[in-house]
Amino acid sequence: MSPALRILLAALLLLPALARTAPAQTNPGFVPRETPPLGDVATYGLLPPVSARMPEEPLIVDLPAKGREYGQRGGWIRSFITQRRNSRIAALYGYARLVGYNEKRELVPDILKAVTVEEGRDFTLTLRRGHRWSDGAPFTSDDIRYWWEDIVNNPMLSPSGPPRFMLVDGKPPEVAFPDPVTVRFRWASPNPHFLPNLAAARPPFIYRPAHYLKQFHARYTDEATLAPQIAKAKVRNWAALHNARDDMFRMENADEPTLQPWMAVARGSGSHLLFQRNPYYHRFDANGVQLPYADGLDVTVMSGGLIPAQVATGHADLQAEALTFSQVPVLVSGEASGNYRTRLWPSGTAADIALYPNLNYNDPVWRGLLRDVRFRRALSLAIDRRIVNRSLYFGLAREGGVGVLPFSSLYKPERHGLWAEYDPEAAAALLDEIGLPRKRGEAYRSLPDGRPLEVIVETTGEKPEVADTLQIIAETWRDVGVRLLVRTADRDVLRNRVYAGQVMMAVWSGWDNGVPEPDSNPEELAPMTQENFSWPKWGQYYQTSGAAGEPIGMPVAETLMRLAHDWAHVATTEERRPLWERMLDIHAENVLVIGIVGEAPQPVVASNRLRNVPERGLWLWDPGAFLGIYRPDEFFFADPPPRS
């Protein structure tokens, strides 16, 4: 049975009850409007009218106040992704979160009606009364209770217990569910991680459709009923079955209800994904039209190398994935015939290209050298960032190290350029001081044990700009006696090799969040996660509470951990700002990551028919979910065509 048919059948059963409990209008002058295609469905009795599908207090968007037009419903937004697992596009474009960031990167209620915070440790979440899942079932505090009691605190589903952001000093909160629309989390000390995690590009989804998932949970469904489902799914036990059906982020399980503006459709091949509008979505424009404006997302999986040509011939309505600055000439040349425009948004990461010396590298000689601040400074000073910027980005990127961007109140220009000027003489002097000799007549220096000074940099090879940058760096490093060798590996292989200490240096982007504010989580600046390529084993040690990885073995890293700990234990922005400032100063002075360029232009292609797409934005994973923060549910087609 298709998801659409299931929704219609469920709606028929719910219709009498919904009709009796039509939501009270708490916003004077707001009148919900039936609009096609759902209006036609409601007319024939297959769905309740919009007044019965909406929450009692929907989120009403004042589009003119945002500088946007009121739109019309219709049309499917075509886009491409490079692999099936990027079906997360629906959750990113949808960006429906309990609380979310607006375009000013301020946290505001979204799915929630309100959030009350006391002393930074007592959080009261208020749901929208009458809000429903995409299949019409009520969304209540029981859906959050199910996540907390039946998933997070069930050892079969969560062997490690509650996630780290739910723990303060290792202790979980007191949790209460006083009524269907109220949830309270109370910690003994402030928890500044809680709300930002709820608004993340990949949120923890502290709610689940309990009415759907209970059929796969041993607490609610007997063994005899679960057994044939486990066998059919070819999994080991009920927990594996539950995990397979619980897919809130990638949304590949079309049977699982969602709160996003678009929901998965079962039909479609492995290379073609469809997400159709959620008829119970909670957001409306001030004219009474239920969002999203677009009927759905039409997503095709395709090799990244083929996507620019497809975009240039007008086969995408909204596209950024797999597009890089080097492809801008091709994209611009196709604008007239493809009926689209290419926007260039600055990247919001702390650097677009950065070198990560692995301070946990397995080779003891190299590990000691990489931990020597003089060596990291020398490598940074021996890079001519101006050549990189002019050759690859026509001077449009920002040259400098890894750090916050001018869009943040924490930005300081003197910090951004520290140890980032091209000064080969100073670089050579530092290498001499360390004791890395270059014998007469030899091009490269030697390690203390006699081996050649060969820095092996590993990359995924996904962006041509990275390969060209490494070639430029190799030439300037050669001038100071350092040989650069490049090794290419698959993304997942590279990550695992870094985590295992097998990679000397990796090239990646800088910190995900290049525009932090004092209340932003500083975990990227301290060894708190293995995902940071500077210190993966120290991050593992912290994440696993000592079960894996290695304890920190470097004073500057210990200082960063202490500052991050202090940040998490103060309650005000004023107290957090100096802690952030100190961490940023430490990174700039110690060159723990060697940044090359930042704010590199990211092409964002949008059809001329698609309106409300911002002319300028910040291309950022978190906070922002790339395009999500700009609310694609408000994008609309000026002349939506019927879907064939």
Side-chain angles (χ1 to χ4, degrees):
M1 184 183 298
S2 73
L5 183 55
R6 275 193 301 274
I7 290 170
L8 297 180
L9 292 177
L12 286 171
L13 296 175
L14 287 167
L15 184 56
L18 289 172
R20 290 193 300 270
T21 59
Q25 297 304 317
T26 57
N27 300 278
F30 176 82
V31 179
R33 295 166 49 194
E34 289 289 359
T35 54
L38 291 182
D40 295 335
V41 177
T43 300
Y44 288 98
L46 296 178
L47 274 178
V50 65
S51 60
R53 296 196 309 271
M54 60 186 276
E56 292 184 18
E57 296 179 271
L59 193 159
I60 299 174
V61 183
D62 187 348
L63 289 164
K66 300 174 66 174
R68 295 188 172 185
E69 306 173 64
Y70 288 116
Q72 58 183 335
R73 302 204 336 170
W76 287 66
I77 297 176
R78 299 169 300 162
S79 192
F80 294 93
I81 56 177
T82 56
Q83 48 192 337
R84 175 88 188 199
R85 67 183 182 183
N86 285 358
S87 58
R88 65 181 187 170
I89 187 174
L92 294 177
Y93 280 18
Y95 194 59
R97 304 292 187 265
L98 292 175
V99 295
Y101 292 100
N102 60 20
E103 292 186 24
K104 298 178 181 179
R105 294 184 294 282
E106 301 166 330
L107 283 172
V108 294
D110 179 16
I111 292 173
L112 295 177
K113 174 186 171 183
V115 181
T116 302
V117 184
E118 298 179 13
E119 300 177 343
R121 64 186 183 89
D122 193 337
F123 297 78
T124 300
L125 313 184
T126 304
L127 281 60
R128 298 180 186 275
R129 195 176 299 276
H131 192 179
R132 295 180 178 275
W133 291 93
S134 57
D135 62 356
F139 170 58
T140 70
S141 61
D142 185 61
D143 296 304
I144 298 179
R145 184 211 59 76
Y146 182 83
W147 172 80
W148 179 248
E149 295 180 2
D150 296 316
I151 296 181
V152 168
N153 283 289
N154 184 290
M156 289 289 288
L157 294 175
S158 303
S160 301
R164 187 171 291 276
F165 81 94
M166 293 296 293
L167 304 176
V168 174
D169 296 328
K171 298 178 181 178
E174 297 177 3
V175 185
F177 307 92
D179 60 56
V181 294
T182 308
V183 180
R184 186 175 185 183
F185 295 93
R186 185 175 186 177
W187 284 269
S189 300
N191 185 352
H193 305 290
F194 184 55
L195 293 183
N197 269 273
L198 302 187
R202 181 166 190 163
F205 293 106
I206 68 167
Y207 54 88
R208 292 293 200 279
H211 67 286
Y212 169 75
L213 289 175
K214 284 179 179 179
Q215 64 184 309
F216 310 114
H217 200 297
R219 179 178 175 183
Y220 301 98
T221 304
D222 60 73
E223 184 179 349
T225 303
L226 285 169
Q229 299 184 73
I230 294 171
K232 184 177 180 180
K234 298 180 180 180
V235 294
R236 290 185 302 171
N237 52 37
W238 72 265
L241 176 67
H242 187 283
N243 289 336
R245 298 293 184 266
D246 184 15
D247 186 19
M248 298 286 286
F249 184 59
R250 290 177 58 186
M251 295 177 63
E252 289 209 0
N253 177 13
D255 292 333
E256 185 174 31
T258 184
L259 299 178
Q260 299 298 319
W262 296 284
M263 57 189 184
V265 178
R267 68 179 183 273
S269 66
S271 62
H272 192 205
L273 308 175
L274 298 173
F275 301 90
Q276 66 185 15
R277 78 165 73 247
N278 172 5
Y280 294 91
Y281 191 50
H282 67 286
R283 302 178 92 237
F284 285 71
D285 72 19
N287 282 340
V289 176
Q290 186 183 34
L291 299 175
Y293 286 133
D295 290 335
L297 306 177
D298 186 338
V299 182
T300 301
V301 183
M302 181 174 290
S303 170
L306 301 177
I307 290 175
Q310 290 292 316
V311 173
T313 51
H315 288 94
D317 299 304
L318 187 62
Q319 187 68 37
E321 182 172 341
L323 303 184
T324 65
F325 184 74
S326 63
Q327 296 155 351
V328 168
V330 173
L331 297 173
V332 171
S333 67
E335 286 184 340
S337 58
N339 194 28
Y340 64 81
R341 282 191 54 223
T342 306
R343 296 159 170 80
L344 296 179
W345 290 7
S347 169
T349 58
D352 285 88
I353 302 176
L355 300 175
Y356 283 77
N358 190 346
L359 305 178
N360 300 147
Y361 188 45
N362 292 337
D363 184 309
V365 175
W366 268 107
R367 183 169 63 245
L369 186 58
L370 294 170
R371 292 186 185 185
D372 190 326
V373 66
R374 296 171 297 175
F375 185 65
R376 299 192 302 273
R377 287 172 175 172
L379 295 183
S380 182
L381 290 170
I383 297 172
D384 193 337
R385 292 168 175 82
R386 180 172 297 182
I387 291 179
V388 174
N389 191 11
R390 292 182 175 180
S391 301
L392 305 182
Y393 298 101
F394 298 100
L396 298 177
R398 176 181 292 270
E399 301 152 21
V402 171
V404 299
L405 307 182
F407 310 101
S408 166
S409 67
L410 293 167
Y411 173 75
K412 288 183 178 179
E414 62 272 20
R415 184 194 290 138
H416 192 76
L418 195 61
W419 301 106
E421 292 294 327
Y422 180 51
D423 191 340
E425 292 184 2
L430 285 170
L431 296 173
D432 290 339
E433 181 182 322
I434 296 170
L436 301 171
R438 177 158 56 174
K439 297 178 181 178
R440 183 180 300 274
E442 293 187 357
Y444 300 107
R445 298 172 183 265
S446 301
L447 292 171
D449 62 4
R451 286 181 291 170
L453 187 63
E454 296 177 340
V455 177
I456 302 173
V457 177
E458 301 200 21
T459 173
T460 63
E462 296 173 352
K463 293 184 177 181
E465 293 91 343
V466 169
D468 293 340
T469 296
L470 292 176
Q471 184 176 349
I472 293 170
I473 294 174
E475 294 173 0
T476 56
W477 277 7
R478 183 172 59 240
D479 293 340
V480 298
V482 178
R483 187 178 187 184
L484 187 154
L485 301 176
V486 179
R487 179 181 293 163
T488 302
D490 175 79
R491 174 181 288 246
D492 291 335
V493 172
L494 174 59
R495 285 182 185 273
N496 290 331
R497 283 175 45 77
V498 170
Y499 300 160
Q502 297 170 351
V503 173
M504 179 188 301
M505 188 177 294
V507 61
W508 205 259
S509 58
W511 312 320
D512 283 343
N513 185 5
V515 289
E517 294 298 332
D519 292 328
S520 302
N521 190 341
E523 70 175 5
E524 289 190 279
L525 279 67
M528 302 176 75
T529 70
Q530 72 170 2
E531 284 75 21
N532 190 315
F533 287 180
S534 294
W535 38 52
K537 293 184 180 181
W538 297 340
Q540 292 168 14
Y541 190 84
Y542 174 77
Q543 286 180 303
T544 62
S545 300
E550 301 172 355
I552 297 174
M554 190 171 163
V556 68
E558 292 174 345
T559 300
L560 289 168
M561 281 294 281
R562 187 181 67 251
L563 292 168
H565 176 272
D566 292 346
W567 175 91
H569 286 78
V570 296
T572 67
T573 301
E574 291 71 24
E575 293 172 295
R576 291 174 183 147
R577 180 177 290 277
L579 297 171
W580 254 103
E581 295 278 6
R582 179 65 182 132
M583 295 180 77
L584 291 170
D585 288 342
I586 289 173
H587 269 272
E589 282 284 355
N590 289 274
V591 199
L592 294 165
V593 187
I594 304 171
I596 313 299
V597 292
E599 296 181 59
Q602 167 64 46
V604 177
V605 168
S607 167
N608 291 330
R609 298 168 41 247
L610 194 63
R611 305 295 174 82
N612 283 344
V613 181
E615 286 298 312
R616 187 170 177 81
L618 195 63
W619 186 251
L620 181 61
W621 164 250
D622 201 1
F626 295 138
L627 282 164
I629 198 172
Y630 301 104
R631 291 296 183 186
D633 58 348
E634 298 170 8
F635 300 173
F636 72 95
F637 287 100
D639 53 341
R643 178 170 171 77
S644 56

